[in-house]
Amino acid sequence: MTVAYHRRPVIWDVDYDTPAGELIAIVGPNGAGKSTLIKAALDLVPKVSGDVRVFGQPYEDQRERVAYVPQRTSVDWDFPVSALDVVTMGLYGKIGWFRPVTRKWRKAAREALDRVGLADFAKRQISQLSGGQQQRVFLARALVQEADLYLMDEPFAGVDAATERAILQVLRDLRSTGKTALVVHHDLQTVADYFDHVLMLNMRLVASGPTAEVFTEENLRRTYGGRLALLDQVGTRLAEGQ
Amino acid sequence: MATRVVGVLLVLMGVGSLVPRNVEAARRSGVGVRVSSISLSSLRHPNVETGHPHILAIQQNNTVSPSLVSRLSRVLSLRDYNTRVVLLGTTILGITAGIVGTFMLLRKRALVGDVVGHSALPGIAIAFLVMEGLSPGTGKWLPGLLLGAFAFGLAGAVTVMLIDKFSRIKADAAMAMTLSVFYGLGAALFTIVQRVPGGNAAGLKTYLNGKTASLVADDVWLFVGIATVVLVLAMLFMKELTILCFDEQFAAAEGWPVFWLDTLLIGLVVTVTIVGMQSVGLILVVATLIIPPASARFWTDDIRLMTLGAGLVGGMSSFFGTVISALFPRMAAGAVIVLTGASLFALSLLFGSKRGVLVHAWQQRKLRHDVGRVDLLRACFELVEHAVSDPIPTHEEMMDHEILLGDLVSMRAWDLSTLRRLVAVAEKDGLMQHTGDDNWRLTETGAEEARRIARNHRLWEMYLMQYAHIAPSHVDRDADLIEHVLDPELIAELEYQLDHPEEAVPVSSHATTGSSSG
C-alpha cells in the first residue's frame, strides 16, 4: 500500500504479511512512516492504493479483533477522567450506543488495570499519573478489548524501567495466548531481546522477517542511512504538481 | 445516570412553573401586562400595532413599588407571570449552554460558539427578507428567524472545519476569517433590512445584544422545547461524546462514527448558540458556553460532575443575572448575565476544591510542612547513628536516645528558632516527646518514620551515584526534595534496581554531620 499526507506520499509500496502469534517490531528513523503505517492499517489516514486484510478479511469486518494503543502524547492528559474511565473506553464498543457503563464493565476494566500493575490507581485522575503509568493505562484500555491483534505506537517511548518491564510482561503474556502484536519501537538495543520479528521501514519496506535473520548491521545501515533523496524529491513534486 | 435524572428534573420543574396558575390574580396585581394575550391557546408573536405587549413586568412597575428592596422581593417571589417566564427562559438557556459548552471546551473548540453567533447574523437578515417578501408583516416570526440563524450558524462552523481540513490554514486563522466575513455580510444585509417598509425591522437589532427583558411566553416555550431536546441528546450521547473529546483517533479506530458524532456536537452547539442569542445576544453568547464549564473544572476532575456543575453555573449566572438586571431600569440583561458568570468563575478560581488557588496554596503549605518533618526526622536518625557504636541504630536505640536540640541544630543549616518550631510541630503530630528543657525523644511512630525516611533517602542516593553518576558530595542536596515523591511503587523500583534487601537501612554514602559542626 501507499499512504500520502496532503498528496505527498510518506510510505511507498509497503507489502507485508504479519505472522500470527508473534511479537513484531516496526523500526525506522524519524519520519520513516512507522506511525503512519499503523494508522493506515486502522483506516485512520486514507491510503492512495492498497488494502489491509486482518485474518484474511477486510479490516472493517474484523475491527473487534484489533486493538489500538496510540502514542501517549496524542491526547490531553489533563482531561477530567480517571484511569478507570479511560480503560472503560475500550469497552464502549461492546457496551453499545446510549447504554451506561455498569458494574460488570467496570469490573472488567479493573482487571485490565490490575494486569498492568495499576489496580491501586483506578480512581486517580489521569494527570496525576506518571508518564509510564499513563502509558500502562493506554495498554490496559487495549487489553480490556480482548482482541487478537494489537497495534501499538511507541509504547516504550519515555517510560520508566518498571513500566518497561510491565509492558514487556504483558506482551509476552499476549504471545503465549496466541495473540499478535505489532509494536512501533525506537530502542534498537532491545529489539533483539523483545521481538521475534522485525519490520524495518524508511518510507518503504527495507527488510522484514525473523529478528535473528533480518536485524543485521547491513539492513540497519540501509534503514537509517538518511532519507532517500530521490523518493523525497519526487514526493514533494507530486504535492506541488497537483 | 445521575446527570440524566437531574437534567430531566430541572426541565420538568421549569415547565411546571411556566403555566399561569391564576391569570385573574395577575390581572388584579396591577402589573402593566396585557394578560389577555398570554392565554396558552392564543400564544402568538407580538403583533405589530402594540409592539411588545408583555414586556418584563418588573421594569414597568416603578410606580407601584419604587424601592429597590420591594422590587427585589417582587422579582424573587416570582409573583408576576412574566417574571417567571423570563427567568425560566434565561435559566434553561444557561443550563443548556453550560452543558453543551463542556464538550466544546474539552474538544478544544471554545471559539466555535463565537463563530456560530457571528455567522448567524446574515441568516437572520435573509430569513426576515424572505418571510417579508412572501407575506408582508410576518418577517419577525421567531421560528423562521431561528431557522435562518441556524442554517448560517452551521454554515459558519462547517466553513471553519472545511478550511481547517482541506487547506494549510490553521484553525484559529480560519475562525477569525469566517467570523468576520459572515458578520460583515450580516451587517451589509441589515442595511437593506432597515429600508424595508413597515418599520418593524428595528426589532431585529436585539439579536446583537439580546432581548431578555422582552422575552415573551411563546419565545420561552420554544426555548424549553429546544433546550429539552438538546439536553436529552447531550445526556444520551454522554459516553460517545466523551470518547470523541478525549481520544478521537482511538474512537475512530474503534469504529465509532467520529464524523457524525462531531456533526452532532456542532449541531448542538449551533442550536444552543442560536437560541442563546435571544437572551444575551450574538456577541456575548460564547461566554455562556465557555465560562460555566471553565468554572466547573476548578471543582472536579470528573467529566460527569463537570457537566453537571457547568449546567449549575450556567443556570445560576442566567438566573441571578436576569434578576439583577431587572432591578435596574434599562440595564442590558445579556451583559449582566455574562458578568454574573464571570463572578462565579472568579469565585471558582479562588475557592475551587480541586484546582482553586487557595487549595493550591494550602497544598504548598502542606508540602513545606512535610519537607520540614522529613528533614527533622532524618537529622534525628543521623544524630542517633553518630551516637551509637553500631553503624545502623536499632529501633530501640532510636527510641531510647535522648536528643538535645543543641546537637540537632548543628546537623543542618537551620537556626534554633526554626528547629524549635519544627520540633513543636513533630510533637503535635505524635512523632517526638518532650523529656525536659531542650531534651527530646522520638516516639514509637517517630522512630519508625525516621528509619523509613533515612532508608528511602539513602536508596535514592545510591541510585543517583550508581546510575546518574553524581558525585557522593552532591547527592545529598539532590535527594532532599525527592523524599515526598517517593511512593511505595518507586521505592520498590529502587530496591529492585539496586538489588537491595527489604527492611535494612544502608550506610550513608557520605558524611552525615552538618557542615557547621565541623
Side-chain angles (χ1 to χ4, degrees), chain B residues 110-126:
Chain B
L111 277 174
V112 167
D114 209 21
V115 173
V116 171
H118 284 77
S119 306
L121 196 63
I124 294 165
I126 289 172

Side-chain angles (χ1 to χ4, degrees), chain A residues 1-49:
Chain A
M1 73 185 175
T2 296
V3 184
Y5 277 135
H6 283 291
R7 293 187 222 95
R8 187 178 190 287
V10 288
I11 319 177
W12 301 71
D13 301 318
V14 171
D15 197 353
Y16 181 64
D17 253 336
T18 308
E22 307 264 19
L23 301 181
I24 304 136
I26 302 175
V27 299
N30 289 336
K34 298 171 301 222
S35 299
T36 310
L37 182 69
I38 282 197
K39 285 180 186 164
L42 289 163
D43 256 350
L44 294 178
V45 294
K47 292 178 279 290
V48 174
S49 63

